[in-house]
Amino acid sequence: MSLWDVVRIPFDSVRNGFREFRKALFTASRPSGEYYVVDESVEGMEELLGGYSFAPNWEFSYYERGEVLNLARVVHERHTVEEETHHWWQTHVRGWQNDAGQLELHAHWELEPTENGNAHIDGVGFDFDRGMRNLESYLKQAGVEYETTTVDTGSSH
């Protein structure tokens, strides 16, 4: 008999509680900058990007006010930044729904946070342009049409 046969932890409730806790304590403004606008639902975009190994990333990132989509695709790549070599990186995609019901997608490339805690928080290796290029390549591979827009919120990453 294992411990799991006796103890049943309500993981869904724990996860949802943590997500709400994160929203209360770790909140940031939506960043200004370039966005890709797509005519897709949140569920459709999750399914589409999930096919390219993107996964929910709510637990390991700040809540950026109003976001409805938060996905990351982690890869193992060797890069040296500021004289230190890092191996785990991610393309982090966030989405906001606009008044027309479209999704506005914003992406960046950065160190994966669970393996690079302080360096991730300090922004070591952060690259907005690479993140947007990565996102664009997945949208093109999937045949998703998009427009480019600029959003000015008075805040940046």
Side-chain angles (χ1 to χ4, degrees):
M1 175 180 283
S2 76
L3 180 62
W4 293 111
D5 293 330
V6 179
V7 177
R8 297 301 298 170
I9 297 172
F11 282 111
D12 290 342
S13 295
V14 171
R15 180 189 67 232
N16 291 336
F18 183 79
R19 287 179 178 176
E20 291 305 313
F21 175 74
R22 166 190 159 266
K23 278 184 179 181
L25 295 180
F26 303 101
T27 299
S29 297
R30 178 181 177 177
S32 294
E34 182 181 16
Y35 283 73
Y36 295 139
V37 182
V38 297
D39 284 320
E40 294 284 338
S41 66
V42 172
E43 296 79 15
M45 189 54 55
E46 287 175 338
E47 182 178 341
L48 185 142
L49 291 175
Y52 294 102
S53 300
F54 280 83
N57 195 45
W58 299 105
E59 288 81 9
F60 299 109
S61 64
Y62 275 81
Y63 170 69
E64 292 189 353
R65 292 180 192 95
E67 69 183 333
V68 295
L69 179 105
N70 188 324
L71 301 170
R73 182 176 189 271
V74 176
V75 296
H76 186 275
E77 287 188 20
R78 184 184 175 98
H79 296 285
T80 301
V81 180
E82 298 177 12
E83 299 181 20
E84 188 171 345
T85 301
H86 302 278
H87 299 93
W88 292 103
W89 297 82
Q90 69 180 14
T91 300
H92 189 181
V93 177
R94 296 175 187 265
W96 289 262
Q97 204 145 34
N98 66 21
D99 293 339
Q102 300 166 305
L103 281 179
E104 297 175 344
L105 304 174
H106 193 73
H108 56 271
W109 171 260
E110 64 187 342
L111 286 169
E112 193 282 330
T114 63
E115 295 299 315
N116 303 282
N118 289 337
H120 171 89
I121 289 169
D122 292 341
V124 173
F126 183 94
D127 188 338
F128 169 74
D129 292 332
R130 180 168 179 184
M132 291 298 281
R133 283 192 310 271
N134 289 351
L135 173 58
E136 181 179 36
S137 73
Y138 295 115
L139 294 175
K140 285 182 176 180
Q141 286 178 56
V144 174
E145 292 184 22
Y146 62 92
E147 296 176 5
T148 303
T149 191
T150 300
V151 173
D152 185 4
T153 64
S155 178
S156 64
H157 274 287

